[in-house]
Amino acid sequence: MEGFEEPRSCRLSVGLDSIGLARYLRGSGDAAGPCAATAGCSDWNCSESRALQVSMDLDTTRKRPRESGVAVDRLSALPDCLLHVIMSFMKARQVVQTCMLSKRWEHLWRTVPCLDVDHREFQSTGEAAHGDNEVWQNFEDFADNLMLHHQIAHLDTFQLRVNDVYRWGQHASRWIRRSIKYNTKVPGIPRPGLSCSSWSLKRLHLSNICLDDLFAKHISSMCCSLEDLNLKGCRFAFNEITSHSLKSLVIDSCDSKLCPSKLVVTAPAIASLCLIVKLWFFPGGLIVNEMPFLSKASILVSATYDGKNFQHNQSKFLGSLCNVTTLELSGFQTMIIPEEPVELPEFKNLRILSLDKCDLSDNFQLLKHFLQNSPNLEKLTLRLCELPKDSKKRKGKAKAKKTRLVDIRCENLKLTEIIYDADDVLQLVGLLLNDSANLPKNNIKLSKVDRA
């Protein structure tokens, strides 16, 4: 565009290498406190394209000439709270690089409410997936200085990801410990920017970090505002996660340093729960205490011989999820019925149920459990489940079916979707058709797929 000039100092592409950035951070003074109107990042899981678009917007910050010929920087004229929202869609390295735009931007990064610190930012294209020592050193220098100079007591959202829990996870854990120490009020020791004894953080996402017992204690006693906790590929040195403020919890492919170990979740306010657990890391069992506000739950377990303890307590575990409306279970083994009579949990609110790769070969005990105790169930999905061995065709005919469902209560069931990979599904279909009088609205949809 004619008459449209872009000053070089305003280009976001002006970068600092990790050494130069560390020197700059060490030489910077303290910034003023954050804008009182600063809001948290409203979309933490924004796409890379959106972050790139924000970067491009900053990269093309230009001074548009008015009719009088005086240039105006309209982006920099925005209040701190709005600029913080824009910066919250960017990775931490990009956020800090904005300090090069102008004096207006020099200290804004110190009080941005959302930080996404990602090891991958320092890994060039073509390098090994886990990076090398030089990549880690550059990332480490950056993260050390970032955590030292940012006013982390005011963070709303924090995400930290390293590439390999076994290689770098222990080193990265010190940044979590530093945050906890910084945000813990100690009598007689003032903490800059700290206004109370609790961490105001609402969303915390950690990937491939070693977490010690101090972390679990801090989540329980100090993180009174924490609503969203996502732990992926982390290593635990504790047995229990307790929080009365959590509304969303994700534990994905984590393991334990303790042996033998169990995992206990006590979070009565949770509305969304996702557990992807390898039971051989938690041979002591998987325990979820009652969650009266639970709406959606996804439980995937990988069981071996170490999963026997969980298998014996499967009914009790399912009972803790009895208030859920949408439930997905994957990898559940055959039900073990105890010798003493037990009261099976009732799922009064359950509307959608999915059983994925579950073992139903014990005469459909798990399926019966739900069909007899879910009066408001509307949709059922059975995907690649293990069925009784004697249900296969013999001489072109299915074996006579003696199994029946009794006391079915889900009269609102509208759709049963069966996804299978072999012809041994006939007994299951027959089981549902034989009790069609108790399932007057049910439609059965069959889909054959290749398990591979």
Side-chain angles (χ1 to χ4, degrees):
M1 183 181 296
E2 294 182 5
F4 205 103
E5 183 179 355
E6 178 185 2
R8 294 183 181 179
S9 60
C10 288
R11 289 186 59 82
L12 185 63
S13 58
V14 171
L16 296 175
D17 58 25
S18 58
I19 298 176
L21 181 58
R23 289 176 179 171
Y24 171 79
L25 294 177
R26 286 195 291 268
S28 300
D30 290 334
C35 171
T38 299
C41 174
S42 60
D43 185 4
W44 178 245
N45 293 314
C46 59
S47 65
E48 291 293 335
S49 60
R50 187 167 185 180
L52 178 60
Q53 182 61 47
V54 173
S55 301
M56 293 172 63
D57 291 342
L58 289 175
D59 190 40
T60 58
T61 301
R62 298 164 179 176
K63 298 184 177 181
R64 299 186 179 184
R66 293 180 178 175
E67 291 181 1
S68 60
V70 179
V72 177
D73 184 354
R74 298 189 179 186
L75 184 59
S76 295
L78 295 174
D80 287 4
C81 53
L82 290 181
L83 292 177
H84 279 153
V85 172
I86 295 173
M87 297 167 74
S88 293
F89 291 106
M90 303 163 63
K91 295 288 188 179
R93 194 183 194 188
Q94 292 178 312
V95 168
V96 176
Q97 285 175 333
T98 61
C99 69
M100 298 296 295
L101 292 175
S102 67
K103 280 287 186 180
R104 172 75 176 89
W105 293 80
E106 186 174 359
H107 297 296
L108 281 174
W109 64 270
R110 293 173 178 268
T111 51
V112 67
C114 301
L115 280 181
D116 184 357
V117 186
D118 196 334
H119 192 176
R120 294 172 297 184
E121 274 196 284
F122 293 78
Q123 187 172 296
S124 301
T125 303
E127 288 183 301
H130 297 301
D132 54 18
N133 290 331
E134 184 177 356
V135 172
W136 171 257
Q137 289 170 6
N138 291 337
F139 173 66
E140 188 176 39
D141 288 343
F142 171 82
D144 278 343
N145 286 281
L146 175 67
M147 300 300 290
L148 181 63
H149 291 89
H150 189 279
Q151 294 187 14
I152 55 178
H154 299 285
L155 277 178
D156 175 87
T157 302
F158 181 59
Q159 177 164 327
L160 174 62
R161 183 191 190 283
V162 299
N163 289 341
D164 189 336
V165 65
Y166 298 105
R167 190 173 184 184
W168 311 119
Q170 189 62 50
H171 299 289
S173 64
R174 73 176 186 275
W175 295 317
I176 302 300
R177 290 195 299 270
R178 180 179 296 174
S179 299
I180 293 174
K181 182 178 180 181
Y182 184 94
N183 287 281
T184 303
K185 194 171 184 179
V186 180
I189 302 179
R191 303 285 188 190
L194 187 63
S195 59
C196 62
S197 60
S198 63
W199 204 357
S200 60
L201 198 69
K202 291 184 179 179
R203 287 171 284 274
L204 178 61
H205 293 197
L206 303 176
S207 298
N208 300 324
I209 311 296
C210 293
L211 303 173
D212 57 19
D213 188 54
L214 176 62
F215 172 81
K217 291 179 180 178
H218 191 71
I219 292 295
S220 174
S221 60
M222 305 298 290
C223 295
C224 301
S225 301
L226 188 63
E227 297 180 356
D228 178 8
L229 179 61
N230 188 315
L231 305 176
K232 183 175 182 179
C234 295
R235 298 201 73 197
F236 297 163
F238 50 84
N239 284 325
E240 183 171 2
I241 294 179
T242 301
S243 173
H244 293 280
S245 62
L246 274 183
K247 296 180 181 180
S248 175
L249 175 63
V250 176
I251 299 178
D252 182 355
S253 305
C254 297
D255 62 45
S256 177
K257 294 180 181 179
L258 306 178
C259 187
S261 178
K262 62 181 178 180
L263 179 61
V264 181
V265 177
T266 303
I270 277 187
S272 176
L273 175 67
C274 177
L275 300 179
I276 302 176
V277 180
K278 296 179 180 179
L279 292 178
W280 57 81
F281 287 131
F282 301 97
L286 181 61
I287 302 171
V288 175
N289 292 313
E290 187 174 356
M291 300 175 177
F293 303 103
L294 186 63
S295 175
K296 182 178 181 181
S298 178
I299 314 296
L300 187 156
V301 294
S302 299
T304 62
Y305 61 91
D306 290 325
K308 294 289 186 181
N309 195 13
F310 174 73
Q311 194 176 1
H312 278 278
N313 293 281
Q314 195 164 282
S315 295
K316 184 177 180 180
F317 176 83
L318 292 174
S320 64
L321 309 176
C322 63
N323 295 298
V324 72
T325 57
T326 300
L327 178 60
E328 178 182 356
L329 302 180
S330 180
F332 273 58
Q333 300 300 299
T334 56
M335 296 280 285
I336 294 181
I337 307 300
E339 295 181 1
E340 304 81 9
V342 295
E343 184 177 352
L344 297 178
E346 187 175 21
F347 294 82
K348 294 181 180 180
N349 302 322
L350 187 61
R351 300 292 192 277
I352 301 175
L353 172 65
S354 176
L355 302 181
D356 181 17
K357 297 181 181 179
C358 294
D359 191 346
L360 305 179
S361 61
D362 58 346
N363 202 24
F364 304 103
Q365 291 296 328
L366 182 63
L367 179 60
K368 289 179 181 179
H369 176 87
F370 282 105
L371 292 179
Q372 295 169 7
N373 293 280
S374 305
N376 295 303
L377 185 65
E378 297 177 0
K379 181 181 178 181
L380 171 65
T381 300
L382 304 173
R383 180 180 181 275
L384 300 178
C385 291
E386 188 72 23
L387 303 179
K389 300 300 182 182
D390 62 353
S391 64
K392 295 183 179 180
K393 285 185 176 182
R394 294 187 178 182
K395 297 182 180 179
K397 297 182 180 180
K399 187 179 178 180
K401 310 168 189 64
K402 299 180 180 180
T403 303
R404 290 187 59 86
L405 297 173
V406 295
D407 300 326
I408 290 181
R409 300 180 55 191
C410 47
E411 296 180 357
N412 295 321
L413 183 62
K414 300 175 182 178
L415 175 62
T416 298
E417 185 176 10
I418 302 175
I419 303 171
Y420 66 101
D421 64 340
D423 294 334
D424 58 353
V425 72
L426 295 179
Q427 185 180 7
L428 175 58
V429 175
L431 179 68
L432 295 172
L433 291 177
N434 286 344
D435 291 276
S436 58
N438 293 326
L439 304 172
K441 303 177 183 179
N442 186 36
N443 292 309
I444 301 177
K445 178 181 178 181
L446 295 177
S447 302
K448 187 172 183 179
V449 298
D450 186 350
R451 186 180 289 262

